[in-house]
Amino acid sequence: MKTIKHILSIIFIIVLIPNVSAQMYRIHQDNVKPSKLEDYEKTAKAFNEACVKYNVQANWATATTDNLKYLYISEIENMAALDNRPFAEMAKAMGDDFGKLFDDFDKCYDSHSSYIIHLVKDLSYMPEGFSMMQEGQDYRKWFYIYFTPQNAKKVREGMEAVKNMYETKKSKEYYRVYRNGFGTSEDCYLVAVSSKDEIDGATKAKENDKLLGPDSWDTFKKVMDYAERFEEVSGKMRPDLSYFPKK
C-alpha cells in the first residue's frame, strides 16, 4: 500500500526560498493512467465520503490537470506538519476497508509524488485580496517558468517588472506566484491564473494583451531571456474532491 505513506502529503522543491512573505503548501500529485481515470474518480469520491463520515481533521483543495494529474493541496504552517497523522483514527475505525481504498488508488497510476510550494505575495498580482480559491472561477491556467540557480536573481527581477506593469496598467487579469520548495529537482516559479472556464480565460487574456499594449513583450523578455524553459498547463479546481471538515 505505497500510497498510504504519501497520500495527502499534500505546486512544486530542495532550494532556499528568499526571505519574502510566503505561505507554504503541501501537495500530493497522482499521475493517473488514462485507462484508469474512471476507477480513480470513483475511488477518490469514496475516499472523500469516508473522510466526511469520520470527520477527519485535515483539509485540502483538489485540482485536476488536462494531462490527468490530480493535485491535493493543503496549507501548512511549517515542516513539522509533515509528521501529522490525520487519518489514524479513520484507519482504526475502517479496519481492512481503509487499506482497500489505497490499494484501489495504487492500481490507477505508476507514479506519484509529494512536494512543497510557497506563495510569493510580493510577486503576485491580486489587488482585491489573496485567495487560492475564487468563487465561480474554478478553471485554471498554470504557467511554469524554470530557471537555473545562476539566473534566479534575474528571473525574480523580471517577475517584479511584470507585476509593476500590471499594476501600472490596472490589469484585470490577476495571478498568484508560487516558488518551488522541498521535494522538487528544479528551480521554478508557478504562475496561477483563475477564470470561469476556458472561454472566459481566453477572453480575459485577449483583453489583457490589448490593455498591456505591443510594447509589453519588452517587459516579459526580462523573464524569458533568463528562463530555461516554459510550460503551460490547463485544468480546474475540483470542489467535489476537496475536503474541509466540520469543526
Side-chain angles (χ1 to χ4, degrees):
M1 296 183 291
K2 58 187 178 182
T3 312
I4 294 179
K5 182 178 179 181
H6 298 288
I7 192 73
L8 297 173
S9 287
I10 322 237
I11 117 206
F12 286 95
I13 314 186
I14 239 173
V15 299
L16 294 176
I17 302 302
N19 186 21
V20 297
S21 176
Q23 291 169 253
M24 186 183 300
Y25 294 89
R26 179 175 54 193
I27 298 178
H28 180 80
Q29 176 178 313
D30 288 338
N31 305 313
V32 179
K33 298 177 183 179
S35 62
K36 294 294 185 177
L37 181 59
E38 185 176 358
D39 292 340
Y40 185 93
E41 284 272 336
K42 181 179 178 181
T43 303
K45 289 175 181 177
F47 178 75
N48 254 40
E49 290 170 0
C51 289
V52 171
K53 179 179 180 180
Y54 294 101
N55 194 26
V56 171
Q57 293 304 297
N59 63 79
W60 58 87
T62 302
T64 57
T65 68
D66 288 352
N67 56 350
L68 304 186
K69 300 183 187 302
Y70 283 67
L71 309 173
Y72 299 90
I73 312 156
S74 81
E75 186 176 351
I76 59 174
E77 292 184 4
N78 49 49
M79 295 294 287
L82 300 178
D83 293 329
N84 293 340
R85 299 180 61 220
F87 304 110
E89 292 299 319
M90 175 178 165
K92 182 178 179 181
M94 291 184 66
D96 292 342
D97 288 339
F98 184 80
K100 184 180 183 305
L101 268 177
F102 291 103
D103 285 341
D104 290 342
F105 271 125
D106 287 344
K107 296 172 184 176
C108 296
Y109 50 77
D110 291 328
S111 66
H112 60 168
S113 60
S114 297
Y115 47 87
I116 289 173
I117 62 173
H118 300 256
L119 172 66
V120 188
K121 285 189 174 182
D122 65 339
L123 293 183
S124 301
Y125 178 66
M126 295 286 289
E128 296 181 3
F130 285 89
S131 176
M132 181 176 64
M133 305 284 286
Q134 297 90 48
E135 185 175 357
Q137 297 190 64
D138 287 337
Y139 185 75
R140 291 289 185 276
K141 281 285 188 180
W142 293 289
F143 301 94
Y144 295 84
I145 304 167
Y146 293 91
F147 54 90
T148 58
Q150 59 266 37
N151 287 328
K153 182 179 179 181
K154 288 293 186 181
V155 172
R156 180 177 174 80
E157 290 172 351
M159 299 286 284
E160 291 171 348
V162 170
K163 180 182 179 180
N164 182 63
M165 176 176 64
Y166 273 62
E167 289 177 332
T168 301
K169 296 286 187 175
K170 294 181 170 56
S171 173
K172 296 300 181 183
E173 185 177 63
Y174 303 160
Y175 60 85
R176 296 162 304 289
V177 175
Y178 301 86
R179 180 73 154 85
N180 67 298
F182 179 78
T184 57
S185 58
E186 295 182 88
D187 286 348
C188 77
Y189 283 111
L190 165 63
V191 180
V193 181
S194 305
S195 56
K196 295 178 182 178
D197 51 37
E198 185 175 5
I199 295 174
D200 179 53
T203 301
K204 285 181 179 178
K206 185 175 181 179
E207 292 173 349
N208 190 60
D209 288 344
K210 184 178 180 180
L211 174 68
L212 297 182
D215 295 334
S216 62
W217 181 244
D218 292 338
T219 302
F220 288 118
K221 271 176 60 64
K222 294 178 180 180
V223 176
M224 292 306 184
D225 281 353
Y226 298 96
E228 287 297 299
R229 72 179 192 279
F230 178 87
E231 295 178 1
E232 178 180 334
V233 178
S234 299
K236 60 183 177 180
M237 303 305 295
R238 293 287 303 272
D240 59 321
L241 296 182
S242 300
Y243 177 75
F244 298 94
K246 298 177 182 178
K247 299 298 182 180

